[in-house]
Amino acid sequence: MSAGRLRVAALISGRGSNLKALLDAAADPACPFEIVHVFSNRPDAGGLAHAAAAGVPATVIDHKLFASREAFDMALDDALAAVRPDVVAFAGFMRILTNAFVERWRGKAVNIHPSLLPLFKGLHPQRQALAAGVAVSGCTVHWVTPGVDEGPVIARAEVPVLHGDTEDALAARILVEEHRLYPRALAMIASGAARFPEG
Ligand code: GRF
């Protein structure tokens, strides 16, 4: 591990604002993690520009070029293994992975989700929160296990749901907290304060 920092590989599919938050945090030499590589399953992901700007290598593995989910996952698995990450951080990565892949990276893969898990898993969690009428929502960083948005929680941040909120307004308020929470959660893993609960 270079300079003792936690080696993080980031997986993106789109805008990449969480990736940018991680890259910005890692730009500080005192940060206990570094982003060693970025992988995108979409060639047009906006987040690729953030990797380039930070001088972090990025690889596109276009899922559309693979005949099956298994074939894509095997290619991603090989590419990931080659960069020897301590942690694989899903940052707006919009692919459901096979159980074989998830098991292979068990205890190393983490995800951020814009709700207070276990509430509002899956798509449109902010819309789900508004429909449920909750007064508080937020975001969660959790270990990736089989089952979408399941897996042990590492850290959560709360955000108020305001009267008259739209889905976009709530999403934007949560996103501000995501950008603080994700670097904090990776620092917790780096320090050993957060560990995957084995057994
Ligand atoms: C974030 O809200 C993240 O929690 C969710 O997808 C969104 C990705 O945004 N999984 P970005 O690509 O990091 O800007």
Side-chain angles (χ1 to χ4, degrees):
M1 212 187 288
S2 68
R5 296 170 105 195
L6 189 82
R7 293 173 60 82
V8 177
L11 266 49
I12 64 167
S13 298
R15 175 179 63 179
S17 71
N18 277 288
L19 169 66
K20 182 168 189 313
L22 296 179
L23 290 166
D24 288 350
D28 180 347
C31 179
F33 62 84
E34 61 182 323
I35 308 299
V36 294
H37 208 105
V38 173
F39 294 93
S40 172
N41 67 307
R42 301 184 67 104
D44 59 350
L48 291 167
H50 296 312
V56 170
T59 302
V60 174
I61 303 177
D62 185 347
H63 66 273
K64 292 191 181 131
L65 303 180
F66 293 85
S68 67
R69 194 173 288 280
E70 288 73 17
F72 169 78
D73 282 11
M74 281 169 68
L76 179 61
D77 183 42
D78 283 349
L80 267 175
V83 304
R84 296 175 294 102
D86 299 311
V87 168
V88 179
F90 293 45
F93 186 66
M94 301 302 285
R95 294 284 298 170
I96 293 177
L97 295 158
T98 54
N99 280 355
F101 181 96
V102 172
E103 288 301 339
R104 166 92 167 74
W105 293 96
R106 187 182 179 80
K108 286 193 169 184
V110 298
N111 181 44
I112 188 158
H113 183 75
S115 76
L116 295 177
L117 291 174
L119 293 177
F120 314 135
K121 297 171 185 166
L123 292 176
H124 308 301
Q126 302 93 344
R127 194 185 302 172
Q128 293 182 53
L130 291 176
V134 293
V136 175
S137 192
C139 48
T140 305
V141 177
H142 65 97
W143 298 104
V144 174
T145 58
V148 175
D149 302 322
E150 294 184 357
V153 169
I154 297 167
R156 271 192 288 233
E158 292 187 354
V159 158
V161 179
L162 302 182
H163 184 69
D165 258 353
T166 61
E167 188 179 350
D168 283 351
L170 179 58
R173 194 176 308 120
I174 293 173
L175 197 61
V176 171
E177 292 305 320
E178 292 187 48
H179 297 163
R180 295 191 184 122
L181 185 70
Y182 216 169
R184 191 150 59 77
L186 291 182
M188 287 167 65
I189 295 170
S191 73
R195 282 171 207 268
F196 184 73
E198 293 291 353

